Amino acid sequence: MKHFLPLRFPFAPGTDVAGEVVSLGTGVKGFRPGDKVVAHIHVLKGGGYAEYAIASSSRVVLRVPEISASEAASIVVAGYTALQSARQVGIKSLAGGCEHLNVQIIGASGGVGTILLQLVKLSGAHVTVTCSDRNIELMRNLKADEVLDYQTQQGATYTSPSGRRYHRVFNCAHFVPLSNFSAQLQPNARVIDLTPTRRSIVVAMVNKVSLRSPHRFENFYMWDNQEDLQTMMELMGAGKVKAVLDTTFPLCKAGDAWDHCLKRRCAGKIILCSSPPISS
């Protein structure tokens, strides 16, 4: 890793944090010691896996009192990704208006997918999701209109139980070739890969100049936006979006948390807590 990224080792990872302000840098305004906040730390600076972390004030927002630190930390990068990717493909309203759209979310039970599902439902779209059988009930609780088990024939082909064809597809899982579900797409449908790889980047470039494909394939790249973090806090505070937490580990068990994550069997987010956990 050190050969590719400009990091100094030893390096403490961690970008999504929530807690309490203990001190302020010179010239910082809008915050004071004791404020409950949530923040995004730049990935190249890191430091989130710690009892104390430093964050730029432009990446910090006040935490809604009703939301715990664990819940708030779970919607930082995941919230950015869900909110911004929805906008990228034209789903901008969070108060209806997209009732004409049929949407498929592949890998909907992860940290991003669970938030994305809730946001797209707020837009009014009809949402079909794909997940493993153990997460079907969770998807139904989050108001998915149709749930596919990816291990079934119907799930493997992304076929809507009601026969609908999709206007938008969000892929939160590994790269899926466009040809795998092109038969399920509406003309001029847009497919967005939320975890870009070299392969998906090449596919998107070829798709962009192709005159043969009736569908658009694109990649998503997240950017920091304090206003988006504020929006996510407000949605959570209003009860319109809820955090889905898989497991909470103490900070000293960060390695175990990574092992759990790498098993790829999580539903929602994995949280690291200082001891004792910060809950208010």
Side-chain angles (χ1 to χ4, degrees):
M1 184 176 179
K2 67 181 179 181
H3 299 298
F4 299 98
L5 297 175
L7 305 176
R8 292 184 177 182
F9 285 78
F11 176 77
T15 59
D16 302 14
V17 297
E20 181 178 309
V21 175
V22 294
S23 64
L24 300 172
T26 303
V28 173
K29 298 180 180 180
F31 301 98
R32 59 186 180 182
D35 281 346
K36 304 295 193 298
V37 296
V38 57
H40 180 238
I41 303 173
H42 195 287
V43 65
L44 298 183
K45 294 183 178 179
Y49 290 9
E51 294 181 345
Y52 296 90
I54 299 174
S56 168
S57 60
S58 64
R59 295 167 177 261
V60 180
V61 301
L62 294 172
R63 178 156 46 93
V64 177
E66 297 81 10
I67 305 303
S68 71
S70 294
E71 291 171 324
S74 75
I75 56 89
V76 183
V77 167
Y80 280 154
T81 302
L83 192 60
Q84 294 170 12
S85 63
R87 288 186 191 138
Q88 182 173 320
V89 296
I91 300 176
K92 300 178 181 180
S93 170
L94 297 178
C98 294
E99 288 79 7
H100 61 290
L101 292 180
N102 297 322
V103 175
Q104 160 73 249
I105 302 176
I106 301 171
S109 59
V112 172
T114 51
I115 296 175
L116 181 59
L117 167 56
Q118 295 176 78
L119 294 181
V120 176
K121 284 300 299 176
L122 289 175
S123 78
H126 182 280
V127 184
T128 302
V129 301
T130 305
C131 64
S132 63
D133 59 352
R134 66 181 177 278
N135 293 321
I136 289 176
E137 192 61 31
L138 169 63
M139 296 293 95
R140 288 174 176 159
N141 289 339
L142 294 178
K143 310 303 182 184
D145 296 291
E146 299 176 328
V147 184
L148 303 176
D149 178 354
Y150 76 90
Q151 294 179 310
T152 65
Q153 178 63 26
Q154 192 176 50
T157 56
Y158 310 104
T159 304
S160 165
S162 61
R164 297 169 186 261
R165 292 202 294 167
Y166 311 117
H167 298 92
R168 302 288 186 270
V169 175
F170 296 85
N171 183 14
C172 304
H174 295 297
F175 172 74
V176 178
L178 187 58
S179 58
N180 282 29
F181 46 76
S182 57
Q184 312 302 334
L185 301 178
Q186 295 275 2
N188 301 316
R190 297 176 67 175
V191 178
I192 183 168
D193 194 316
L194 274 57
T195 57
T197 61
R198 285 183 296 178
R199 189 177 179 187
S200 70
I201 292 171
V202 171
V203 169
M205 292 173 61
V206 172
N207 175 261
K208 190 172 184 178
V209 299
S210 173
L211 299 178
R212 300 178 59 185
S213 176
H215 310 125
R216 181 173 172 183
F217 183 95
E218 53 197 282
N219 290 293
F220 170 75
Y221 303 98
M222 189 207 83
W223 67 92
D224 292 306
N225 187 319
Q226 191 178 41
E227 292 182 2
D228 286 347
L229 187 54
Q230 183 65 48
T231 296
M232 291 306 305
M233 275 288 94
E234 291 172 358
L235 288 170
M236 290 187 73
K240 296 181 179 180
V241 172
K242 64 179 181 180
V244 178
L245 307 183
D246 179 274
T247 313
T248 299
F249 289 86
L251 184 60
C252 62
K253 297 291 185 179
D256 293 343
W258 268 108
D259 288 340
H260 182 60
C261 178
L262 293 174
K263 293 177 182 177
R264 299 187 181 277
R265 296 178 61 86
C266 305
K269 296 289 287 186
I270 300 171
I271 301 297
L272 287 179
C273 274
S274 58
S275 183
I278 301 172
S279 58
S280 61

